[in-house]
Amino acid sequence: MSLRFENKTALVTGASRGIGRAVALALAAEGARIVAAARSQGALEELDDELRALGSPATLVPLDLTDVEGIDRLGGALHERHGRLDILIGNAAILGTLTPVGHIDPEEWQQVVAINVTANLRLIRAFDPLLRAAPAGRAIFTTSASSWLHKPFWGAYAASKAALECLVKAYAAEIANTSVKVNLVAPGAVATQMRAKAMPGEDPDTLARPEDVAPLFVELADVSCTRNGELIDFNDWKLRA
């Protein structure tokens, strides 16, 4: 029995934990070759052990996404090795400090924007040619309901995700007449380290798990997916699934 992503290559950012890790494992379970990017070498090695248990060792890429030249180098390396990229998962993000807008530290603002927006721009810039070279390239980016809920103290993170949504939707419109499909996922409240930092004291057992969200990414990554330029709310998708 063939697997749906057999002989396909998937790059996952923020792959060492949380939603990124769950998505990497879910894609690997369907046969994908995983290129796992994250800042922590140790956490990547733990992921590699799990992937090897599935019979799918990963290419590990310790990479701080503020290293935009590193993103370009990764694009060149994947071009040389595979000649294409079938799946791009732009998942890495940072929360920053939850604080009134007037108190946002300018340096921290720059860091949030660098990871949550600029790094994804550089991923698109580096990998668009490789996605177009694939028979059915798929790109999925992780956003947040905070971008439209306008909650107090979430200004920096919410603004970065709103900017990401605008960027990705513009890109999706630009590639609408190609075989590439590009979408966004808003996972909602998920039991991750970022959620625990934002909402200390919250019972994680009341939240969705990263493994619950991963099947939505798998669905959007499949060649049969015709959606493009959409923002899919996990909670809405779960009700219809």
Side-chain angles (χ1 to χ4, degrees):
M1 180 178 175
S2 63
L3 301 173
R4 70 169 91 182
F5 301 126
E6 192 170 7
N7 298 319
K8 293 182 180 294
T9 301
L11 168 61
V12 182
T13 69
S16 62
R17 60 180 179 238
I19 292 171
R21 171 186 165 278
V23 172
L25 290 168
L27 292 173
E30 290 284 355
R33 296 182 296 251
I34 302 299
V35 179
R39 286 179 291 180
S40 171
Q41 175 75 35
L44 283 173
E45 290 174 355
E46 291 176 9
L47 171 66
D48 191 42
D49 290 341
E50 295 179 89
L51 291 169
R52 286 179 183 276
L54 294 172
S56 179
T59 299
L60 305 182
V61 184
L63 178 64
D64 185 329
L65 291 177
T66 60
D67 177 8
V68 293
E69 293 180 354
I71 294 173
D72 291 344
R73 289 193 298 271
L74 178 57
L78 290 185
H79 179 265
E80 290 182 9
R81 179 174 296 186
H82 302 297
R84 73 186 200 207
L85 180 65
D86 299 282
I87 303 164
L88 169 62
I89 307 294
N91 171 73
I94 61 173
L95 178 65
T97 301
L98 301 184
T99 188
V101 170
H103 294 175
I104 294 172
D105 179 78
E107 290 187 7
E108 188 169 43
W109 167 267
Q110 293 292 342
Q111 186 179 26
V112 169
V113 171
I115 296 293
N116 297 0
V117 186
T118 305
N120 286 299
L121 166 63
R122 296 300 293 243
L123 287 168
I124 292 170
R125 185 174 181 272
F127 292 103
D128 172 66
L130 298 185
L131 290 167
R132 291 175 187 254
R138 298 289 182 265
I140 304 138
F141 296 86
T142 306
T143 186
S144 168
S146 66
S147 67
W148 66 82
L149 292 178
H150 309 137
K151 296 186 292 185
F153 313 119
W154 287 69
Y157 181 75
S160 71
K161 289 300 186 179
L164 174 65
E165 290 167 17
C166 290
L167 181 72
V168 170
K169 288 183 179 183
Y171 175 47
E174 291 161 3
I175 53 84
N177 294 324
T178 74
S179 61
V180 180
K181 306 297 179 190
V182 183
N183 293 289
L184 295 136
V185 170
V190 180
T192 63
Q193 287 188 13
M194 181 183 291
R195 179 72 184 187
K197 178 182 176 182
M199 306 292 287
E202 186 176 51
D203 183 357
D205 291 336
T206 64
L207 307 176
R209 300 169 301 164
E211 294 78 12
D212 299 327
V213 181
L216 173 53
F217 285 81
V218 170
E219 179 181 302
L220 295 172
D222 192 77
V223 64
S224 65
C225 176
T226 59
R227 304 175 82 159
N228 184 55
E230 296 186 34
L231 193 164
I232 300 96
D233 186 292
F234 167 69
N235 292 312
D236 290 343
W237 174 84
K238 181 173 61 175
L239 291 174
R240 301 190 191 106

